[in-house]
Amino acid sequence: MARPRGDVYGPSAAKRAKGRKAVGLAGNGGDEAFIRYYIQRINDASRMSDPTLLDPLTGPDCPGCRPLTDFISANASAGTHVDGDMWEVQRTITQTFDATSAGVIVTISQRPARIVDRDGRSVDVLRANQGDRLMTLSFGAVWRLDRVQMVG
């Protein structure tokens, strides 16, 4: 029986640990480190079909966050999950930044990935794609994602 990789295992575990140290920083690239950490948590949540992994990272009314959470929840309800990491950050460019907020343009590549059932049988496929998003963050004690918009 195929199982999603756990949160602390796999080749990207060291990158996630490094990201966790940076997500609380208000300066010195903490905003971009948060974005990379957030994308890795999307991959974790998709592999484990657990949208609650994203809850501490997003604002309560984040436009653009809901479709992703709905996708992960639908997979959980169907007993399926994404088999591997589906998103990868290609680049980040901070557009606006102050002590309490940041606007970051993020180029994300969607890798081809299978959606599999509990037995590891493929039920759907995510196609390769790439796009830019403007991610608006707020900073209190930690960074949180408040808004996601497609760019271009």
Side-chain angles (χ1 to χ4, degrees):
M1 179 163 114
R3 293 186 179 264
R5 254 189 348 219
D7 184 35
V8 296
Y9 301 103
S12 55
K15 284 194 254 180
R16 287 193 302 275
K18 182 179 178 186
R20 278 192 288 275
K21 293 175 187 172
V23 296
L25 302 176
N28 298 323
D31 57 333
E32 293 181 11
F34 171 82
I35 294 289
R36 292 180 185 282
Y37 178 68
Y38 177 73
I39 297 301
Q40 187 54 54
R41 292 305 281 173
I42 289 171
N43 289 327
D44 296 339
S46 298
R47 272 195 318 277
M48 297 176 351
S49 288
D50 184 359
T52 64
L53 295 177
L54 303 177
D55 290 348
L57 305 176
T58 60
D61 299 315
C62 173
C65 296
R66 184 72 175 184
L68 182 61
T69 304
D70 289 348
F71 166 76
I72 296 167
S73 294
N75 280 337
S77 295
T80 60
H81 64 273
V82 176
D83 187 29
D85 287 355
M86 63 178 189
W87 283 5
E88 179 180 14
V89 174
Q90 295 300 315
R91 71 179 175 150
T92 57
I93 302 169
T94 298
Q95 296 290 302
T96 60
F97 185 87
D98 63 34
T100 61
S101 65
V104 182
I105 300 287
V106 183
T107 302
I108 297 172
S109 289
Q110 179 172 294
R111 299 173 179 160
R114 298 180 320 136
I115 298 175
V116 297
D117 65 13
R118 288 181 180 97
D119 296 322
R121 291 183 300 244
S122 186
V123 297
D124 204 350
V125 175
L126 298 173
R127 306 246 183 261
N129 200 355
Q130 184 167 307
D132 292 330
R133 289 162 179 80
L134 171 59
M135 295 188 168
T136 305
L137 311 176
S138 61
F139 185 80
V142 295
W143 286 108
R144 288 180 67 106
L145 180 62
D146 289 330
R147 184 178 178 102
V148 179
Q149 299 169 265
M150 295 298 291
V151 179

